[in-house]
Amino acid sequence: MKVAILTMFSGLSTTYSLVNVVADQIKVLLDANVSVKVLVCETCPDSERTGIFSDARLEWVKITNTLNGQPIVWHDYSGASGTVHETFFAEADAIAKDFTVHLQDVDVCILHDILYQGWHLVHNIAIRKAQQQLPHVRFLAFTHSLPVNRPQEMEYPFSARFTDMPRTKFIYPTYSGISALDKQYDVPEGKCAVVYNTLPLVPSMSTPVQAVADVIDLMHADVLAVYPARLTTGKKFEKVAALAGAIKHATEKNTKVIFCDFPSADISSKVYQAIIRTEGKKYGLSDADMLFTSEIGYPDGFPRQSVFELFTLSNLFICPSYSESFGLTVLEAASRGNSLVLNEAVPALKELGDKLGAYFMRWDARNFGFDTHEKYAPSEKAYYEEHGRRIVNLMREDRSLNAKTLVRSQYSDAWICKNQLMPLLNIE
């Protein structure tokens, strides 16, 4: 499969939102091992090719913007009738010739605003001319602005902005615009589709977070818990794993846990990690649901700024710690909009949790002058699963938290690529 992305960009400044949309699209296609060719205006400076636009896997093609040695000036033909400038059709023919040559080897051509914008009318006419010589190429025509009301009377070539094109699907970023889009081009809704704009959260984050994302699926977890702490038994890592496993088992939610750990003299890291994994699996997690950052190149601790970034992605913070004098990580997790589950038996956690609206459970704890030991009836597993269901229900009812989770999971580049873009390319 080879895909062309036709933008006719004359510059690549990221202040132009469409540049960012196209950059995200290029990245997901390359990540899916799709061959990508990008068609831009011949005046687009090579010096502006940074980031994904400079990727060695891209085929970069410049389409002519001159006629008889003179630069082609794009006129904004937004009306439905009128008179085009004298050299319009000669310019369209020259551009069409370039399109025909450079689209011969592609299966699908993605157009971004080419059929929509008035200043791209010359390219609109050119691609329609080229299409006649490209019977094997399918087209996806993206519109990134409010669809235009279809006029009752139109004249050629202005009518091209309101006319169907063979072998073409018309794409809009939201379902609410589909009925207006089909009216603009006078096509049935079946010729239209939705592809969201992506919010590439992980690519905008630090290298350590990207390293985590390479190992564990951050974006699709319904419940994502992050627990940064020294790898000592007093922090009760195994209870975090157990509760997360119970949540997964009781609610069938896709649940992941990231332990941002660093070594302790209390116990061998390898021994304690094995205990934690065993507890997690006993209650419902798989090995793939748990990650220790010490195992992916950060044996002495995960960078604090990167922990904050992980808290931006996560939605649940579980702290069953045996003892705390304050609980700074509680504040860090809360500051990034996580649901809090704290050990009620620890005074510092109870004090913070009362102020922050945390959900409380009970684990063994060291108190002022005495220790507490919990007994669970009918079993610890039943206790975790009962509270796990309550926690998930509370998370579901929290609109802000629900929005945060949906943004991460359903507006990620991976989700959009798999569920919206790839089916249009006929790639499973």
Side-chain angles (χ1 to χ4, degrees):
M1 169 67 69
K2 188 169 187 176
V3 173
I5 298 179
L6 200 168
T7 68
M8 292 306 295
F9 286 153
S10 55
L12 298 172
S13 170
T14 55
T15 58
Y16 182 29
S17 62
L18 186 53
V19 170
N20 301 314
V21 170
V22 171
D24 295 340
Q25 193 170 84
I26 291 170
K27 183 181 184 304
V28 298
L29 289 172
L30 290 178
D31 287 349
N33 296 316
V34 175
S35 297
V36 179
K37 173 185 289 192
V38 180
L39 279 59
V40 298
C41 180
E42 71 171 307
T43 60
C44 188
D46 287 337
S47 61
E48 295 187 12
R49 288 186 63 187
T50 59
I52 196 66
F53 292 113
S54 63
D55 194 293
R57 293 170 292 176
L58 278 184
E59 187 176 346
W60 195 259
V61 175
K62 293 189 174 183
I63 299 298
T64 186
N65 198 53
T66 56
L67 179 68
N68 300 325
Q70 297 299 313
I72 294 172
V73 178
W74 302 351
H75 298 259
D76 188 2
Y77 292 117
S78 296
S81 60
T83 304
V84 294
H85 60 280
E86 184 178 353
T87 56
F88 177 89
F89 288 106
E91 292 166 1
D93 286 342
I95 296 168
K97 184 177 179 180
D98 248 12
F99 284 161
T100 302
V101 169
H102 293 295
L103 294 177
Q104 286 288 345
D105 62 341
V106 307
D107 302 289
V108 179
C109 178
I110 297 175
L111 311 173
H112 283 284
D113 270 348
I114 299 298
L115 303 189
Y116 173 81
Q117 295 290 0
W119 63 75
H120 279 314
L121 184 63
V122 67
H123 305 113
N124 186 336
I125 296 301
I127 195 64
R128 292 172 186 271
K129 288 175 176 288
Q131 191 196 43
Q132 297 173 20
Q133 309 301 318
L134 302 165
H136 62 288
V137 181
R138 294 184 292 113
F139 292 81
L140 302 179
F142 279 70
T143 292
H144 296 283
S145 302
L146 213 61
V148 180
N149 289 331
R150 183 178 178 80
Q152 292 185 343
E153 296 183 3
M154 296 172 283
E155 297 177 358
Y156 183 81
F158 304 93
S159 57
R161 294 185 62 235
F162 310 95
T163 304
D164 187 13
M165 196 167 89
R167 305 187 307 282
T168 300
K169 277 265 191 182
F170 293 88
I171 316 299
Y172 200 68
T174 60
Y175 288 97
S176 59
I178 291 297
S179 61
L181 189 70
D182 69 31
K183 290 181 176 64
Q184 175 177 339
Y185 293 102
D186 192 26
V187 296
E189 283 198 12
K191 286 204 70 173
C192 302
V194 170
V195 176
Y196 298 150
N197 290 341
T198 66
L199 180 63
L201 290 170
V202 170
S204 69
M205 293 182 176
S206 61
T207 299
V209 172
Q210 293 182 37
V212 170
D214 288 339
V215 180
I216 192 168
D217 185 0
L218 296 175
M219 306 312 292
H220 299 106
D222 301 312
V223 178
L224 178 61
V226 173
Y227 192 50
R230 185 164 54 95
L231 200 60
T232 173
T233 55
K235 293 298 183 182
K236 298 294 181 184
F237 280 74
E238 72 276 11
K239 302 302 182 184
V240 175
L243 179 55
I247 287 173
K248 180 180 178 181
H249 182 262
T251 66
E252 298 184 348
K253 294 291 184 182
N254 182 353
T255 304
K256 307 290 183 186
V257 186
I258 301 165
F259 297 111
C260 300
D261 60 313
F262 53 97
S264 164
D266 300 350
I267 188 172
S268 160
S269 294
K270 294 297 182 184
V271 169
Y272 194 25
Q273 286 171 353
I275 292 170
I276 296 162
R277 285 191 177 277
T278 298
E279 285 296 291
K281 288 188 284 186
K282 183 170 77 174
Y283 283 87
L285 295 179
S286 69
D287 266 323
D289 294 328
M290 294 174 277
L291 174 70
F292 293 89
T293 57
S294 62
E295 295 179 330
I296 61 165
Y298 300 92
D300 297 318
F302 202 63
R304 189 162 187 260
Q305 185 57 43
S306 298
V307 172
F308 274 109
E309 291 177 335
L310 286 178
F311 276 144
T312 301
L313 299 173
S314 63
N315 54 11
L316 180 63
F317 177 70
I318 304 167
C319 185
S321 182
Y322 184 69
S323 175
E324 293 289 342
S325 61
F326 182 74
L328 185 59
T329 53
V330 177
L331 296 184
E332 292 172 346
S335 74
R336 297 302 190 267
N338 284 263
S339 183
L340 307 175
V341 178
L342 308 180
N343 188 351
E344 186 177 31
V346 174
L349 296 179
K350 182 69 166 65
E351 180 181 331
L352 275 178
D354 281 339
K355 289 183 178 181
L356 300 175
Y359 184 90
F360 290 108
M361 292 177 63
R362 295 191 68 87
W363 288 278
D364 294 350
R366 174 169 294 159
N367 218 301
F368 295 111
F370 62 93
D371 296 342
T372 60
H373 300 280
E374 301 300 323
K375 293 183 179 180
Y376 305 102
S379 68
E380 190 171 1
K381 181 179 181 182
Y383 178 76
Y384 288 163
E385 291 192 353
E386 176 187 353
H387 284 277
R389 283 187 284 267
R390 291 180 189 174
I391 290 165
V392 168
N393 285 337
L394 289 171
M395 291 173 66
R396 186 185 298 115
E397 292 167 5
D398 185 323
R399 292 186 178 183
S400 295
L401 190 64
N402 194 45
K404 174 182 177 178
T405 304
L406 284 174
V407 166
R408 168 172 54 77
S409 61
Q410 292 194 14
Y411 292 89
S412 69
D413 48 5
W415 189 94
I416 292 166
C417 183
K418 177 182 177 181
N419 294 280
Q420 294 181 333
L421 182 58
M422 288 306 185
L424 292 171
L425 299 176
N426 293 339
I427 300 176
E428 295 299 329

